Amino acid sequence: MRILVLANTPAHVHLYRHTVDRLEEAGHEVLVLTREYACTTDLLDFFDLPYRAYGRHRTDGYSTLQFARELGGQFCRIGIEALRFAPDVVFGRGPFAAYAGTLTRTPVVLVLDDEPGDFNHTVSRPFADCILSPAVTRRDLGDDHYTFDGFKECAYLHPDVFETNGDIREYLDVGPDEPYVIVRFNALDALHDAGLEGFRPDQRRDLIERLSEAATVFVSDEGDEMDLRDLPARPYDLHPALIHDAMAEASLLVADTGTMATEAALLGTPAFRYRGTDDHEYGEFRELERAGLAEQFDEYEAIRDRSLEILAADDAGDRWQSRRREYVGGLVNLTDLLVDVATSRGEPGRLDGSTKRALQPRSRTI
């Protein structure tokens, strides 16, 4: 079989990387189509995945006409690559995946989560043959929509899949028992982030200064805008492929972005998310809060004070790890599921009994 994967962000690379490896090991041919965005191609190189780039993600400095031309060029390159590859099934999300499948007359599998924007779903839904999402997603996207008990991050952070790198503390230059915190600041440049605000500059500085009194602070600044020279913090500057290993060993993750907070929670690390101006209610976070693995805050002072409280609690790490074993261990290993869906050419009716039982038609679960 020939499987085409559209992976446009670092999160998409992690979602599919184990699936690509498994399919290639089984003798299938896989191609990843991607764009230059953040560290997406760096991750594809690190994990040695077969890919071709069709363009780059850029919105700043473009006029509407320039943006339209760039977007048209990307669709053209995706079409050329898809026709040349001639896939048996296409995986992805949004209009690019829908277009590739429609052009090649190939079944399209969309793997979605509970993101706030409806644009991707609205555009791609009519062209999808199979839509997969976590059961906690609140949308009903029609007869071809199936849910699974877990999160899309379970494709790479499920206990059956994730193996921590034992050298991560050495790479970070922290001691065996030295507490450290990862602070993640969102660039807020994605389509679904339009108009949102996270930590203000003064809040970022105050947060770093206060946390540094209790732990070593690493800053992961997606926008690469912060000057840390006069702040008691270090930039997180390891290869982006090691971020999950770093999160797994951390005492706490504080972020104004969703994906890394979800990832830290599934790793059993206390994960605190600052909403800022984002008032969207995510089904994933609601479930992680229910499981005691993540917490969300509307007020800056609340997340700062709660962070200091958790760093002062000697048993916090053990409590979160216990919750992870109890909750995450019972979720679906999404990599297994995606491999089976790929080899069924995106047709749930052709799945075997165990995999079929892991998928539930959305119309029966709402």
Side-chain angles (χ1 to χ4, degrees):
M1 284 185 60
R2 300 164 72 84
I3 298 95
L4 180 65
V5 176
L6 276 293
N8 295 325
T9 71
H12 298 167
V13 176
H14 288 300
L15 170 62
Y16 291 112
R17 62 186 176 89
H18 291 296
T19 299
V20 171
D21 286 342
R22 290 265 302 275
L23 289 169
E24 287 193 316
E25 289 169 3
H28 302 292
E29 189 172 350
V30 185
L31 174 64
V32 178
L33 289 183
T34 190
R35 61 185 176 182
E36 300 282 352
Y37 172 63
C39 60
T40 304
T41 54
D42 291 334
L43 290 173
L44 289 164
D45 287 329
F46 184 92
F47 295 119
D48 195 25
L49 300 184
Y51 76 91
R52 294 179 191 145
Y54 61 79
R56 58 184 298 187
H57 172 76
R58 180 182 170 187
T59 57
D60 60 308
Y62 268 21
S63 68
T64 302
L65 180 58
Q66 288 174 317
F67 179 72
R69 286 175 176 170
E70 175 66 20
L71 193 61
Q74 292 183 10
F75 272 104
C76 181
R77 286 187 286 275
I78 288 172
I80 292 171
E81 294 290 355
L83 287 169
R84 181 182 296 156
F85 186 65
D88 296 298
V89 64
V90 175
F91 279 81
R93 63 184 298 156
F96 288 148
Y99 169 67
T102 301
L103 188 64
T104 58
R105 299 182 179 181
T106 304
V108 176
V109 179
L110 305 180
V111 184
L112 307 178
D113 56 7
D114 206 7
E115 71 168 23
D118 288 324
F119 175 76
N120 282 336
H121 305 332
T122 301
V123 171
S124 57
R125 172 183 169 182
F127 305 96
D129 297 270
C130 179
I131 301 174
L132 307 179
S133 75
V136 296
T137 300
R138 295 159 299 161
R139 292 181 175 87
D140 179 5
L141 299 175
D143 294 338
D144 298 315
H145 183 189
Y146 296 83
T147 67
F148 56 90
D149 188 14
F151 302 76
K152 64 180 177 59
E153 291 82 5
C154 288
Y156 53 99
L157 297 181
H158 191 280
D160 292 344
V161 176
F162 179 74
E163 295 181 9
T164 204
N165 187 318
D167 296 325
I168 192 65
R169 284 185 170 270
E170 180 180 347
Y171 296 156
L172 290 169
D173 192 24
V174 295
D177 301 314
E178 182 178 348
Y180 68 86
V181 178
I182 297 177
V183 180
R184 172 66 165 181
F185 296 130
N186 198 342
L188 295 172
D189 62 350
L191 179 64
H192 57 259
D193 293 327
L196 297 183
E197 296 180 4
F199 289 110
R200 299 195 312 263
D202 60 309
Q203 292 171 341
R204 291 184 176 196
R205 295 181 64 88
D206 182 63
L207 180 65
I208 291 170
E209 290 172 349
R210 295 296 299 276
L211 292 178
S212 69
E213 298 171 3
T216 299
V217 178
F218 291 95
V219 174
S220 173
D221 179 18
E222 187 180 28
D224 196 25
E225 299 173 347
M226 285 205 69
D227 184 353
L228 300 177
R229 286 176 296 182
D230 62 341
L231 288 171
R234 307 185 209 169
Y236 175 82
D237 55 5
L238 298 185
H239 193 285
L242 298 175
I243 187 60
H244 302 118
D245 303 283
M247 283 195 288
E249 280 287 307
S251 300
L252 173 67
L253 176 114
V254 183
D256 55 7
T257 180
T259 297
M260 282 184 62
T262 301
E263 291 170 335
L266 292 174
L267 288 166
T269 297
F272 296 166
R273 175 177 176 261
Y274 178 52
R275 295 176 189 260
T277 59
D278 186 0
D279 59 1
H280 180 77
E281 289 293 335
Y282 297 85
E284 287 89 344
F285 280 117
R286 184 172 55 189
E287 178 65 9
L288 289 169
E289 286 183 299
R290 186 197 64 78
L293 291 168
E295 299 178 23
Q296 297 189 91
F297 302 84
D298 295 320
E299 301 294 333
Y300 166 68
E301 289 77 10
I303 191 172
R304 180 197 62 196
D305 295 347
R306 177 61 173 150
S307 298
L308 295 171
E309 178 185 349
I310 210 71
L311 289 174
D314 294 334
D315 64 341
D318 291 337
R319 284 188 281 127
W320 255 260
Q321 285 298 319
S322 176
R323 294 168 188 168
R324 179 188 188 238
R325 288 190 294 270
E326 180 178 348
Y327 177 70
V328 183
L331 300 178
V332 166
N333 178 338
L334 185 55
T335 288
D336 287 346
L337 186 60
L338 293 179
V339 168
D340 289 346
V341 170
T343 54
S344 76
R345 287 178 166 81
E347 298 181 25
R350 300 176 56 184
L351 296 170
D352 63 25
S354 61
T355 305
K356 188 178 291 186
R357 286 191 295 272
L359 286 178
Q360 292 295 321
R362 181 57 172 169
S363 58
R364 300 181 192 173
T365 60
I366 61 173

